[in-house]
């Protein structure tokens, strides 16, 4: 019987776990969260992907209140600059270009047109792209699905944690401040029985969720689960973060700007910009990184840059004994596609689905670990694609990534797409076909052939259809307010 869950850690992972568990299982289990004010949180992690809206909806969070409390902005896309090659840029939007038919996706039709010399850019058919470029936003929900504009948020991670804390405590989650110095383990099973704090207090439980960040206090320090390192595919191992003054005209997208041996993020919030350089310490010293980061800010820095070392890879098992690792303790894929907070959400959702009400069994644990593993590998492959498919000739970093052997599943995916535009959707892949198509083509991999169904219309018919579709997609644009006006209205209305 699982009567009590102990969450170790009060960062985004800890409070998201506490908030969701208390909302869904609060009537069945008691929840206590232990966090150390001395250690604090990592304090980055400010860009999300659209499934975050499911978290808000499950928790019954009002969007206007959320935007106001976390100083959030809207995210329609990521703009990748200098990735495929220096001087080039493309968007990975959350939208879908064109309109898919039952058996052949839009990109096949567009690709045929491209070869015939018309059709413009693939992104001209994506409302997310058009709105992002125009700096506009309003929810288009409830209209024709052709105008569906999925979005996520940028938010202040510290404010987000506090926001979730208020929700969790209102639902009965008990917060204990203190630093874990040791654990008590059951002599029989080796399971964790209690956390021992530095002042001697003990916090006992039946199931422990390790949200202690990259330290992995339970999953690694005490259970020695082991870590699988993916640094040979994802060589960036350091980040330098610095906030800067708010930039006028808040962009409704994240910028990811590639440099000689890494990339820089720009995350617009209501009260400041988040900036950071993710880099490979083998290629850049910290001084070089600081010069690049500070030399490429849109607005004056508000603090000294902060260095965060990290390892890409994952715990060999996300669930070991009666400990489930969630958040950075479970592993880290670098922040390029803003997937870590999603992985937290997904881990908790999985834990709730497979919750061991009657006790932990090996089958439950294996299934949890199997699903977690596939999900992480698929995201890993998607991120590798950005680095690998490049034509940059300006540094050894990019040349090494271009010529490296990639995981076999990714190699097959690239080959199939390059040959005829086919993409196979994996069950556990958070990134659906529109995402893969945009990044593959954005990084310069354009299919050599298209699906025969795209040969159905005559050349003139295809041209007319595409022109009509581009017009249809762009139709809402004139009515949309600027992103800033939208935020101001929503946030003011929430007061
Ligand atoms: C450079 C960088 C950029 C990122 N950008 C993004 C992004 O844009 N989008 C995204 O989705 N993700 C991003 N991430 C990941 C994101 O920051 C994390 O997934 C998220 O913040 C969750 O962190 P956490 O809660 O696991 O760990 P932390 O925030 O480190 O929290 C750990 C908690 O455990 C507590 N703790 C640790 N040890 C003990 C102890 N012994 N006793 C008691 N308490 C303890 C700490 O006090 C703290 O409360 C980024 C990560 C990095 C490194």
């Amino acid at each position: 019987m699982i009567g009590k869950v102990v969450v170790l850690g009060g960062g985004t992972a800890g409070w998201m776990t506490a908030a969701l568990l208390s909302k869904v299982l609060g009537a069945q289990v008691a929840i206590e969260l232990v966090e150390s004010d001395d250690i604090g949180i990592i304090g980055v992690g400010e860009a999300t992907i659209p499934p975050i809206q499911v978290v808000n909806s499950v928790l019954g969070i009002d969007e206007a209140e959320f935007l106001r409390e976390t100083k959030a902005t809207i995210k329609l896309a990521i703009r990748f600059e200098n990735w495929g090659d220096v001087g080039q840029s493309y968007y990975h939007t959350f939208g879908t270009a064109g309109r898919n038919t039952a058996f052949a996706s839009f990109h096949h039709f567009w690709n045929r047109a491209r070869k015939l010399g018309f059709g413009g850019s693939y992104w001209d058919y994506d409302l997310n792209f058009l709105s992002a470029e125009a700096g506009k936003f309003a929810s288009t929900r409830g209209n024709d699905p052709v105008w569906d504009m999925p979005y996520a948020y940028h938010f202040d991670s510290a404010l987000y944690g506090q926001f979730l804390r208020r929700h969790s405590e209102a639902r009965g989650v008990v917060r204990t401040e203190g630093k874990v110095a040791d654990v008590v383990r059951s002599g029989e099973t080796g399971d964790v029985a209690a956390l021992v704090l530095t002042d001697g207090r003990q916090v006992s439980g039946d199931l422990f969720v390790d949200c202690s960040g990259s330290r992995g206090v339970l999953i690694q320090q005490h259970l020695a689960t082991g870590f699988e390192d993916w640094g040979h595919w994802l060589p960036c191992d350091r980040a330098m973060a610095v906030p800067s003054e708010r930039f006028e005209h808040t962009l409704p997208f994240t910028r990811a700007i590639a440099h000689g041996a890494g990339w820089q993020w720009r995350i617009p919030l209501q009260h400041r910009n988040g900036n950071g350089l993710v880099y490979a310490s083998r290629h850049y010293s910290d001084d070089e990184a600081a010069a690049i980061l500070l030399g490429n800010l849109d607005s004056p820095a508000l603090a000294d840059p902060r260095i965060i070392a990290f390892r890409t890879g994952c715990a060999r098992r996300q669930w070991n004994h009666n400990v489930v690792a969630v958040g950075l303790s479970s592993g880290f894929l670098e922040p390029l596609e803003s997937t870590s907070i999603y992985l937290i959400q997904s881990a908790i959702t999985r834990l709730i689905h497979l919750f061991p009400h009657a006790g932990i069994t090996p089958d439950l644990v294996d299934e949890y670990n199997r699903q977690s593993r596939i999900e992480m590998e698929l995201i890993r492959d998607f991120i590798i694609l950005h680095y690998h498919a490049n034509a940059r000739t300006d540094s050894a970093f990019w040349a090494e990534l271009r010529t490296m052997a990639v995981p076999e599943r990714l190699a097959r995916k690239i080959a199939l797409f390059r040959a005829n535009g086919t993409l196979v959707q994996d069950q556990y892949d958070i990134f659906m076909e529109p995402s893969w198509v945009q990044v593959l083509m954005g990084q310069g991999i354009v299919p050599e052939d298209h699906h025969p169904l795209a040969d159905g219309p005559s050349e003139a018919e295809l041209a007319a259809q595409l022109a009509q579709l581009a017009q249809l997609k762009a139709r809402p644009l004139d009515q949309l307010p600027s992103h800033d006006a939208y935020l101001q209205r929503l946030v003011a209305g929430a007061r």
Side-chain angles (χ1 to χ4, degrees):
M1 269 289 292
I2 303 292
K4 183 175 172 195
V5 177
V6 175
V7 179
L8 171 58
T12 301
W15 284 114
M16 213 184 221
T17 302
L20 284 168
L21 282 185
S22 61
K23 170 73 186 181
V24 184
L25 296 177
Q28 278 99 10
V29 292
I31 300 162
E32 182 167 355
L33 183 145
V34 178
E35 67 173 320
S36 156
D37 286 344
D38 281 353
I39 294 175
I41 62 167
I42 191 161
V44 281
E46 307 200 313
T48 60
I49 56 177
I52 188 80
Q53 298 203 5
V54 179
V55 176
N56 286 1
S57 150
V58 170
L59 295 178
I61 289 171
D62 172 69
E63 185 175 53
E65 183 199 352
F66 166 80
L67 286 165
R68 178 164 52 95
E69 297 282 316
T70 65
K71 304 274 186 213
T73 65
I74 301 294
K75 176 180 171 190
L76 292 168
I78 303 175
R79 186 164 80 196
F80 289 96
E81 302 170 27
N82 301 331
W83 281 82
D85 208 346
V86 177
Q88 290 180 357
S89 73
Y90 72 93
Y91 285 77
H92 169 199
T93 77
F94 300 133
T96 300
R99 203 176 224 165
N100 291 337
T101 63
F103 295 103
S105 300
F106 172 73
H107 67 271
H108 292 284
F109 293 85
W110 173 83
N111 195 26
R112 176 174 170 231
R114 179 191 64 84
K115 284 186 273 180
L116 292 168
F118 59 85
S121 152
Y122 176 75
W123 283 265
D124 292 347
Y125 304 86
D126 179 341
L127 184 56
N128 272 58
F129 164 77
L130 297 170
S131 303
E133 281 269 277
K136 292 181 158 196
F137 178 76
S139 173
T140 55
R141 237 173 249 150
N143 293 312
D144 187 320
V146 78
W147 293 316
D148 196 21
M149 202 158 47
Y151 62 95
Y153 308 104
H154 306 113
F155 53 59
D156 181 310
S157 63
L159 295 177
Y160 184 59
Q162 293 314 305
F163 183 73
L164 292 180
R165 176 179 165 187
R166 287 194 290 278
H167 272 262
S168 308
E169 289 184 323
R171 288 212 179 82
V173 173
V174 173
R175 173 186 183 264
T176 297
E177 199 285 320
K179 189 172 170 189
V180 172
D182 202 357
V183 302
V184 178
R185 294 182 66 178
S186 147
E188 218 173 288
T189 59
D191 284 359
V192 174
L195 308 180
V196 183
L197 308 187
T198 42
D199 59 9
R201 280 176 296 161
Q202 293 201 359
V203 180
S204 58
D206 305 305
L207 180 72
F208 290 79
V209 186
D210 185 349
C211 298
S212 63
S214 50
R215 287 175 174 79
V217 171
L218 303 180
I219 198 82
Q220 298 298 1
Q221 290 179 11
H222 287 281
L223 296 182
T225 302
F227 186 84
E228 185 168 322
D229 198 311
W230 291 334
H232 51 295
W233 286 312
L234 295 169
C236 290
D237 57 359
R238 253 167 133 70
M240 191 174 282
V242 69
S244 68
E245 281 177 15
R246 183 182 169 276
F247 198 57
E248 228 175 321
H249 305 306
T250 318
L251 299 176
F253 55 88
T254 309
R255 290 177 66 194
I257 309 149
H259 292 289
W263 64 277
Q264 185 174 352
W265 78 75
R266 298 254 175 94
I267 296 180
L269 301 177
Q270 287 177 33
H271 56 316
R272 61 166 168 81
N273 263 9
N275 308 273
L277 186 80
V278 174
Y279 56 103
S281 60
R282 207 153 49 82
H283 291 268
Y284 280 160
S285 67
D286 292 340
D287 286 346
E288 280 174 300
I292 292 168
L293 175 63
L294 296 175
N296 284 286
L297 296 181
D298 281 332
S299 48
L302 291 170
D304 289 331
R306 189 163 63 89
I307 293 175
I308 304 161
F310 62 82
R311 264 199 308 173
T312 49
C314 65
R316 288 198 184 278
R317 276 174 292 162
Q318 316 272 305
W319 185 336
N320 192 2
H321 285 276
N322 61 340
V323 172
V324 183
V326 174
L328 293 172
S329 62
S330 71
F332 183 51
L333 290 160
E334 64 143 279
L336 188 58
E337 282 285 357
S338 330
T339 42
S340 285
I341 295 170
Y342 168 73
L343 281 168
I344 296 169
Q345 168 184 353
S346 175
I348 308 161
T349 307
R350 183 172 301 121
L351 179 59
I352 292 171
H353 278 148
L354 299 174
F355 199 78
H357 294 277
I360 297 170
T361 64
D363 285 347
L364 267 182
V365 174
D366 286 352
E367 182 55 25
Y368 182 94
N369 285 330
R370 185 186 74 82
Q371 292 181 17
S372 312
R373 174 72 189 206
I374 300 174
E375 180 175 62
M376 263 201 135
E377 285 183 4
L378 288 164
I379 295 177
R380 175 200 69 192
D381 289 359
F382 188 57
I383 297 176
I384 293 173
L385 170 66
H386 299 63
Y387 282 102
H388 174 63
N390 81 78
R392 290 185 61 139
T393 51
D394 57 313
S395 73
F397 175 82
W398 291 101
E400 281 167 21
L401 286 159
R402 187 170 52 250
T403 51
M404 74 179 169
V406 297
E408 203 213 321
R409 181 168 34 203
L410 175 61
R412 268 189 281 122
K413 225 171 209 159
I414 294 175
L416 203 54
F417 185 78
R418 195 193 300 276
N420 59 19
T422 301
L423 269 167
V424 180
Q425 183 69 45
D426 285 282
Q427 187 192 352
Y428 292 102
D429 197 346
I430 179 61
F431 292 109
M432 311 287 277
E433 186 180 80
S435 292
W436 281 91
V437 170
Q438 291 179 71
V439 174
L440 281 157
M441 296 211 303
Q443 295 288 143
I445 300 173
V446 180
E448 286 155 17
D449 199 2
H450 52 263
H451 193 282
L453 279 175
D455 288 323
S458 70
E459 205 175 309
E461 282 167 346
L462 182 62
Q465 283 168 10
L466 289 183
Q468 225 176 28
L469 197 50
Q471 246 179 17
L472 177 70
K473 280 279 184 173
R475 200 178 296 158
L477 214 52
D478 282 347
Q479 314 300 324
L480 294 179
S482 76
H483 179 213
D484 277 321
Y486 175 83
L487 287 175
Q488 273 159 21
R489 210 170 52 209
L490 206 69
V491 171
R495 281 179 213 286

